[in-house]
Amino acid sequence: MKATIWHNPHCSKSRETLAILNDTPGLDVEVIEYLKTPPSAEALAALYAKAGMTPAEGLRKAEDGAKALKGASDAEILAAMAADPILIERPLVETAKGVRLGRPPEKVREIL
């Protein structure tokens, strides 16, 4: 099975989630450093839909840029995330079984 992780190597939760993926036998892991290769607003919308999340739930609220998005529409949040990917809460993991936000990292086991 294949797993894709949208990863930030500077984030401890992202590193912990990647370790879970790498320790799973038979799993082919694709790592996308989303700060270097940000997903489009459309790709983010699809990921959140598969995860059963709203874009607001995927927003990294601790970032300064997130404060300006209070009350924003889904489209506005997605556009902001695509333009400034630090606003994306991480890590996101996708497999054939779905998408999970690795917070806590063990949540990804639900789709392995």
Side-chain angles (χ1 to χ4, degrees):
M1 178 167 52
K2 180 180 178 185
T4 302
I5 179 172
W6 283 266
H7 176 62
N8 180 343
H10 301 291
C11 171
S12 64
K13 297 299 182 203
S14 196
R15 290 191 308 269
E16 290 173 35
T17 302
L18 181 57
I20 290 170
L21 298 177
N22 285 332
D23 290 344
T24 301
L27 194 62
D28 176 24
V29 181
E30 177 185 10
V31 177
I32 300 173
E33 289 190 32
Y34 68 91
L35 293 176
K36 294 179 182 177
T37 308
S40 67
E42 295 80 13
L44 283 168
L47 287 168
Y48 293 136
K50 286 182 185 178
M53 298 171 58
T54 66
E57 291 170 326
L59 182 63
R60 188 164 173 78
K61 293 167 184 65
E63 296 297 328
D64 289 339
K67 292 169 183 55
L69 295 169
K70 187 175 182 178
S73 70
D74 286 352
E76 291 168 326
I77 292 170
L78 291 167
M81 289 173 162
D84 188 5
I86 196 69
L87 295 173
I88 301 169
E89 186 64 90
R90 72 244 176 191
L92 283 169
V93 176
E94 180 179 28
T95 71
K97 296 181 180 180
V99 175
R100 292 293 180 272
L101 178 63
R103 291 194 171 262
E106 294 76 24
K107 293 253 330 155
V108 300
R109 294 188 194 279
E110 297 173 0
I111 57 170
L112 298 180

